[in-house]
Amino acid sequence: MIDFTISLSSDSHLPLYERLYRSLSGQIRSGQLQAGQKLPGKRSLAAALAVSVNTVDTAYQLLTAEGYLEVRPKSGFYVLPVPQALPKSGARQAPPPHPALPAGDQPPLARFDLSTGGVDTSLFPFRTWGRIQKELLYSSPQLLTRGPSQGDEELREEICEYLRAYRGVHCRPDQVVIGAGTEYLAGLLAPLLKGPAAVENPGYRRTRTILENNGLSCLPVDIDREGLSVEMLARSGAEVAYVTPSHQFPTGVTMPAGRRGELLRWAEEAPGRWIIEDDYDSEFRFDLRPLPSLQGMGGADGPVIYLTTFSKSLAPSIRIAAMVLPDSLLLPYRQRYAVYSCPVSRFEQQTLCQFIRRGHFSRHLARLRSQYKERMEALRQALEEAFGPDLLELEGTHTGLHLLVRLKRGPDEETLAKAARAGGIPLGRLSDYYMCRRENCPARTLVLGYAALPPDRIGELAGTLKEAWMPLLG
Amino acid sequence: MIDFTISLSSDSHLPLYERLYRSLSGQIRSGQLQAGQKLPGKRSLAAALAVSVNTVDTAYQLLTAEGYLEVRPKSGFYVLPVPQALPKSGARQAPPPHPALPAGDQPPLARFDLSTGGVDTSLFPFRTWGRIQKELLYSSPQLLTRGPSQGDEELREEICEYLRAYRGVHCRPDQVVIGAGTEYLAGLLAPLLKGPAAVENPGYRRTRTILENNGLSCLPVDIDREGLSVEMLARSGAEVAYVTPSHQFPTGVTMPAGRRGELLRWAEEAPGRWIIEDDYDSEFRFDLRPLPSLQGMGGADGPVIYLTTFSKSLAPSIRIAAMVLPDSLLLPYRQRYAVYSCPVSRFEQQTLCQFIRRGHFSRHLARLRSQYKERMEALRQALEEAFGPDLLELEGTHTGLHLLVRLKRGPDEETLAKAARAGGIPLGRLSDYYMCRRENCPARTLVLGYAALPPDRIGELAGTLKEAWMPLLG
């Protein structure tokens, strides 16, 4: 099944491990190597290719670090599902650069982008954004000079105003730090806190990696139907809790007010305890008024550090996020980072500032919310019609841009994911988001991000999924 | 001399230390508090203001962290010179927000921006940059989606090509990492290396802070007439050397080929030794062909990590820099950072990519080089005419965007800087760049960045400096 010959013999200026890495990652992306497939052992592959075991080991390590492979203890390396970015038209991807397998063996390529990081780029406010950008470029040469370390004052004012009005965040502009993504900001924050930090299980691995890379050790703490379990948190020995209370990632649970109060009380019980509130997609709440932020319940000098991003509301490639620091972290922050430059281009900062100030942002959000709500409703209806209430259950549909699809009976998650992928539908497995205690993962549950799913292809998606799964459901 | 009443009584929603910090930093920026002035002791100030000693201590610490104050051991807190950004027209700054002192007591405000971080923003290629930006915004919606972690492939190719052709760097695009400034990249790099790291003394404090913030301890190692002393480096116990061989910051020394060879041999003597080459303004060499990079002498898998920035050639606020990693650091880099997003907006990455690809960048550089060379020559001539060769010596004029002004006789550096500032000319003191062994600092030497100095005001600068200094030179 695995074909290395072509790639390993060409590109001879590259190190061998790099060529092997490229060959394998290409085959995983193209679907030649499928999710769940076991790779050959390092020794046998090294022998087969006449390279050193070290070369194979290096390539496998790289692929694991990048999320192509997973190590299963005492078993070996297995291919993980790779979310594939697709052209908006839904056309098939260009053929992979590697030689094709005989037609019968080749799984179909991904036909939908159902990743949780996608957004509908056609909703981006091209015209307004472009107009402001152009206006600033010609009128504001002072934006070429170095700006303030925490970000441009005007943008911090606008964000502060917005967070106060829409998310109930208590803040002043001097508490706001602008950064190139919440991950960047989490990296600055980590060294200011004393760990260990509890992270949600299941949860967002990337934040964990970043906190750990910046010296904050992490403990996965389980979530229940109300979000992070404060009881388990208290027992864990953690001094910091990283949470997504508006829309737990990936389960979609919203933390109710009672649990929020408990969490704040936990933080107030001992000095040096902090809560990091990642409010990553709270703009998209479809039924009720959103609960105000946890930070707002805790106050301007409470125990909550608030993080928000514009990746979901504007575009993943426009790297602007904001962090609101409690007063008592401002001094340590400034002592450590006074000399740092704000990583976001000032033109982009000021474009966003004017976009918010002139009222475009709230109109844009209203438009996104109605579009995404319609899409989610159509998807819900299509899936419910295809499977019926006895078979299918959806979760996390009140807010955010992804939902959980659960089958009430049928084969295991892995079999369902494999069948869907064979139909060209790449779905995430909920169990992949568990950092430990996978046995607690609800059965037959898959993660579906719908922000990048074109509305006119929802019927096709539901139909294809039905074709893929019905034979397995007896 | 110090006036706190107004600021401390207003803004009552801010913490006391913040109000005190703002009041003092405002007075330093406005020139009410002058460089070299000693601040009152913490206890006496706290008593005078009826606040706690802790409040004063916090404010002083913040001001020190941000470079407004310095601590002199066993003496107290002293005001440092603050480079002031000025409007291009050279008009005076708006009056400070604090109550003015009686006219006689008030020093003139800075009349020139002579900071080493400035560039001439009027040379920015507004039209071309704006055209490409607009074109991409409307034609390339795929740039809204998340891009590769190391930066967009096309930009890495262009940068690679440019560095190969102009700086003799040996690299492939997969070795290039795009980041939001060299400081950001240095922060990613530090945890991959095992210290301690030697940093140049005198040198660039900001890099030292960033390396240390990211877990790499630093040792200042002295430079001599050829740059970093390899003899002292070898004795220091350092395993990493951070150097600016094209144009040592701040002395302007170019490291000759012989010393480069020595430095490379030092790195090759033991495994795990690395050289970080910060090539921050090598584009601006005015007389000879620039020496190729140290990285090029070491090879694609040599011991040199190469850093370059577009802050000087485009604008300080456009945060794009690149790092070239040796092959043997690529794997550890990817293992640690595979999940990180590139912090630079993809539209900005692709604008730069097209700007290079279509030949605008090399034309733009040629234009900058000729403008800055002319400016530097005019400045040299004006200063030499004003003071004559018996009094004045200039250093570091072959390359880069700042130079050293040294008086051959006269009072000490501090007195000269104070007199210049009294005439509205803020000059850096060379001794401020010493992290230790200040006694080795050449006497009467000041640092002058001329990139933001308008050519038609060079005569005025030289004349004012002559007026300020001549009375002191007897």
Side-chain angles (χ1 to χ4, degrees):
Chain A
M1 281 293 273
I2 301 187
D3 184 326
F4 303 104
T5 43
I6 297 278
S7 302
L8 285 189
S9 57
S10 62
D11 294 333
S12 59
H13 62 289
L14 291 176
L16 268 175
Y17 77 82
E18 177 74 25
R19 286 188 261 164
L20 181 55
Y21 157 81
R22 288 182 181 207
S23 169
L24 288 170
S25 61
Q27 289 177 73
I28 295 171
R29 277 196 309 269
S30 74
Q32 271 176 271
L33 289 171
Q34 293 180 55
Q37 195 172 332
K38 185 181 173 178
L39 288 194
K42 294 178 204 171
R43 266 165 227 289
S44 56
L45 183 56
L49 295 171
V51 299
S52 77
V53 176
N54 209 25
T55 298
V56 179
D57 185 48
T58 301
Y60 277 16
Q61 278 188 60
L62 258 179
L63 291 162
T64 307
E66 297 191 358
Y68 285 104
L69 300 182
E70 67 172 347
V71 195
R72 297 194 189 154
K74 295 185 197 169
S75 171
F77 288 82
Y78 289 80
V79 177
L80 285 175
V82 180
Q84 298 182 304
L86 272 187
K88 289 284 309 167
S89 69
R92 296 211 172 199
Q93 286 191 309
H98 304 282
L101 293 176
D105 287 4
Q106 196 172 10
L109 298 174
R111 289 161 55 190
F112 300 91
D113 175 5
L114 302 175
S115 66
T116 54
V119 302
D120 184 345
T121 55
S122 72
L123 299 175
F124 185 78
F126 291 99
R127 206 172 303 176
T128 315
W129 193 263
R131 199 177 56 234
I132 298 175
Q133 204 174 43
K134 185 177 162 193
E135 188 185 308
L136 289 170
L137 184 65
Y138 292 104
S139 69
S140 312
Q142 77 280 8
L143 295 183
L144 292 167
T145 60
R146 190 179 146 98
S149 166
Q150 285 183 215
D152 276 23
E153 180 87 19
E154 298 90 332
L155 176 59
R156 285 187 280 126
E157 276 166 17
E158 290 303 327
I159 288 178
C160 195
E161 201 48 61
Y162 166 73
L163 292 178
R164 264 198 295 238
Y166 290 86
R167 302 295 303 127
V169 172
H170 280 299
C171 64
R172 304 178 312 274
D174 66 291
Q175 291 177 286
V176 176
V177 181
I178 310 287
T182 44
E183 297 154 14
Y184 171 84
L185 291 168
L188 295 185
L189 177 62
L192 306 180
L193 310 179
K194 249 182 93 175
V199 293
E200 295 167 326
N201 182 48
Y204 195 51
R205 274 173 209 275
R206 195 178 290 167
T207 307
R208 179 183 182 173
T209 304
I210 287 163
L211 295 176
E212 289 183 334
N213 274 354
N214 288 282
L216 196 62
S217 66
C218 290
L219 302 168
V221 168
D222 292 357
I223 62 152
D224 59 24
R225 307 289 304 179
E226 303 198 324
L228 192 77
S229 157
V230 177
E231 199 187 312
M232 294 184 67
L233 172 65
R235 278 195 314 234
S236 72
E239 295 295 319
V240 173
Y242 167 84
V243 288
T244 50
S246 293
H247 186 227
Q248 203 275 332
F249 188 86
T251 63
V253 166
T254 299
M255 190 182 281
R259 179 65 63 87
R260 290 174 187 232
E262 271 179 61
L263 187 56
L264 287 170
R265 277 193 298 280
W266 166 84
E268 281 151 7
E269 262 163 27
R273 285 195 178 163
W274 297 102
I275 299 165
I276 307 173
E277 176 179 23
D278 187 347
D279 211 25
Y280 70 103
D281 72 355
S282 63
E283 297 87 351
F284 308 107
R285 174 133 199 126
F286 304 123
D287 44 3
L288 306 161
R289 261 183 73 81
L291 277 173
S293 65
L294 195 58
Q295 196 272 3
M297 283 178 75
D301 202 18
V304 184
I305 300 133
Y306 179 87
L307 287 173
T308 186
T309 176
F310 293 87
S311 294
K312 301 275 176 186
S313 50
L314 288 170
S317 75
I318 293 184
R319 309 297 303 157
I320 310 184
M323 169 164 73
V324 178
L325 289 171
D327 280 333
S328 33
L329 283 176
L330 269 180
L331 176 64
Y333 178 87
R334 291 188 186 158
Q335 284 184 320
R336 193 175 171 96
Y337 300 120
V339 302
Y340 282 45
S341 300
C342 178
V344 185
S345 153
R346 291 184 73 193
F347 281 111
E348 219 156 56
Q349 289 189 56
Q350 291 282 346
T351 304
L352 175 57
C353 173
Q354 293 301 326
F355 190 75
I356 302 175
R357 186 175 288 172
R358 299 179 191 177
H360 299 299
F361 186 58
S362 48
R363 285 195 291 277
H364 173 64
L365 278 183
R367 180 162 169 249
L368 289 184
R369 216 177 276 124
S370 91
Q371 293 270 338
Y372 285 139
K373 180 177 183 177
E374 209 172 284
R375 194 165 308 182
M376 196 273 296
E377 291 296 353
L379 178 63
R380 183 218 299 258
Q381 203 179 334
L383 290 175
E384 283 174 353
E385 273 172 21
F387 292 92
D390 292 345
L391 274 180
L392 184 97
E393 190 177 19
L394 299 178
E395 279 186 28
T397 56
H398 303 294
T399 181
L401 300 179
H402 69 268
L403 44 82
L404 298 188
V405 178
R406 177 172 304 137
L407 286 181
K408 294 185 179 172
R409 57 183 172 81
D412 63 15
E413 185 198 50
E414 181 50 42
T415 310
L416 291 169
K418 207 169 159 182
R421 174 167 280 277
I425 303 177
L427 290 173
R429 298 172 305 180
L430 182 57
S431 68
D432 284 339
Y433 295 91
Y434 278 75
M435 306 177 200
C436 55
R437 295 181 287 279
R438 281 191 187 209
E439 62 278 13
N440 296 339
C441 181
R444 298 176 295 278
T445 309
L446 298 145
V447 182
L448 191 162
Y450 60 83
L453 174 66
D456 57 4
R457 298 189 61 220
I458 288 175
E460 180 193 345
L461 172 69
T464 313
L465 207 53
K466 186 176 180 179
E467 275 172 37
W469 283 351
M470 275 309 189
L472 303 171
L473 304 176
Chain B
M1 280 295 273
I2 302 183
D3 185 326
F4 303 107
T5 44
I6 297 279
S7 303
L8 286 189
S9 57
S10 63
D11 294 334
S12 59
H13 62 290
L14 293 175
L16 268 175
Y17 77 81
E18 178 74 25
R19 287 187 260 164
L20 181 55
Y21 157 81
R22 289 182 179 207
S23 169
L24 288 170
S25 62
Q27 289 177 74
I28 295 170
R29 279 196 309 271
S30 73
Q32 271 174 272
L33 289 171
Q34 292 181 53
Q37 196 171 333
K38 184 179 173 180
L39 288 193
K42 293 178 206 170
R43 266 167 227 288
S44 55
L45 184 56
L49 296 171
V51 299
S52 76
V53 176
N54 208 24
T55 298
V56 179
D57 185 50
T58 302
Y60 279 15
Q61 278 187 59
L62 258 179
L63 291 163
T64 308
E66 297 191 358
Y68 285 104
L69 299 183
E70 66 172 349
V71 194
R72 298 194 190 155
K74 295 187 195 167
S75 171
F77 288 83
Y78 288 79
V79 177
L80 285 174
V82 179
Q84 298 184 303
L86 273 187
K88 290 284 307 166
S89 68
R92 298 209 169 197
Q93 286 192 307
H98 302 283
L101 294 178
D105 288 3
Q106 196 172 8
L109 299 175
R111 289 161 55 190
F112 301 92
D113 175 4
L114 303 175
S115 66
T116 54
V119 303
D120 184 346
T121 53
S122 73
L123 300 174
F124 185 78
F126 291 98
R127 206 172 303 176
T128 316
W129 192 265
R131 199 177 57 235
I132 299 175
Q133 204 174 44
K134 184 177 163 190
E135 189 185 308
L136 290 169
L137 183 65
Y138 291 106
S139 69
S140 311
Q142 79 279 9
L143 294 183
L144 291 168
T145 60
R146 192 179 144 99
S149 165
Q150 287 184 212
D152 276 23
E153 182 85 20
E154 300 90 333
L155 176 60
R156 284 186 281 125
E157 276 165 17
E158 291 302 327
I159 289 178
C160 196
E161 202 46 63
Y162 166 73
L163 292 177
R164 266 200 291 244
Y166 289 86
R167 303 295 303 126
V169 172
H170 281 299
C171 63
R172 305 179 311 275
D174 67 290
Q175 291 176 283
V176 176
V177 181
I178 310 287
T182 44
E183 297 154 14
Y184 171 84
L185 292 167
L188 295 184
L189 177 62
L192 306 179
L193 310 179
K194 246 182 95 176
V199 293
E200 297 167 326
N201 183 49
Y204 195 51
R205 275 172 209 276
R206 196 179 291 168
T207 307
R208 178 182 182 174
T209 304
I210 286 162
L211 296 176
E212 289 183 334
N213 273 354
N214 289 281
L216 196 62
S217 66
C218 291
L219 302 167
V221 167
D222 292 357
I223 62 151
D224 59 24
R225 306 290 306 180
E226 302 197 324
L228 191 78
S229 158
V230 177
E231 199 187 312
M232 293 184 67
L233 171 65
R235 278 195 313 231
S236 73
E239 294 296 317
V240 173
Y242 166 83
V243 288
T244 51
S246 292
H247 185 227
Q248 201 274 332
F249 188 86
T251 65
V253 166
T254 299
M255 189 182 280
R259 178 65 62 87
R260 290 173 186 234
E262 273 179 59
L263 187 57
L264 287 170
R265 278 193 297 282
W266 166 83
E268 280 151 8
E269 263 163 26
R273 284 193 179 166
W274 296 101
I275 299 166
I276 307 172
E277 176 179 25
D278 187 347
D279 212 25
Y280 70 103
D281 72 354
S282 63
E283 297 87 352
F284 308 107
R285 174 135 199 122
F286 304 124
D287 44 4
L288 306 159
R289 261 183 72 81
L291 278 171
S293 66
L294 194 60
Q295 196 272 1
M297 284 178 74
D301 203 19
V304 183
I305 300 131
Y306 180 87
L307 288 173
T308 186
T309 176
F310 292 88
S311 294
K312 300 274 179 188
S313 51
L314 287 170
S317 75
I318 292 181
R319 309 299 303 158
I320 311 184
M323 169 163 75
V324 178
L325 289 171
D327 281 334
S328 32
L329 284 177
L330 269 180
L331 175 65
Y333 177 87
R334 291 187 187 159
Q335 284 184 318
R336 193 174 172 96
Y337 300 120
V339 302
Y340 282 44
S341 300
C342 178
V344 185
S345 152
R346 292 184 74 193
F347 281 111
E348 218 155 56
Q349 289 189 57
Q350 290 283 345
T351 303
L352 176 57
C353 173
Q354 293 302 326
F355 189 74
I356 302 175
R357 186 174 287 170
R358 301 179 191 176
H360 299 297
F361 187 57
S362 47
R363 285 193 293 275
H364 172 65
L365 278 183
R367 178 160 171 254
L368 288 184
R369 216 177 274 121
S370 93
Q371 292 269 339
Y372 285 139
K373 180 177 184 180
E374 209 172 282
R375 194 165 308 183
M376 196 271 296
E377 292 296 354
L379 178 63
R380 184 217 297 258
Q381 204 180 333
L383 290 174
E384 283 173 353
E385 273 171 21
F387 293 91
D390 292 344
L391 275 179
L392 184 100
E393 194 179 15
L394 299 179
E395 278 187 28
T397 56
H398 303 295
T399 180
L401 300 178
H402 69 269
L403 44 80
L404 298 187
V405 178
R406 178 172 304 138
L407 286 181
K408 294 186 179 172
R409 59 183 170 80
D412 61 14
E413 186 196 51
E414 181 50 40
T415 309
L416 290 169
K418 206 169 160 183
R421 176 167 277 275
I425 304 177
L427 290 172
R429 297 172 306 180
L430 181 57
S431 68
D432 284 340
Y433 296 92
Y434 277 74
M435 304 178 202
C436 54
R437 296 180 289 279
R438 281 192 186 206
E439 62 278 13
N440 295 339
C441 179
R444 297 177 295 277
T445 309
L446 298 146
V447 182
L448 191 163
Y450 60 82
L453 175 65
D456 58 3
R457 298 188 62 220
I458 289 176
E460 181 193 342
L461 172 69
T464 313
L465 206 54
K466 187 176 178 181
E467 274 172 39
W469 283 351
M470 274 308 188
L472 304 170
L473 305 176

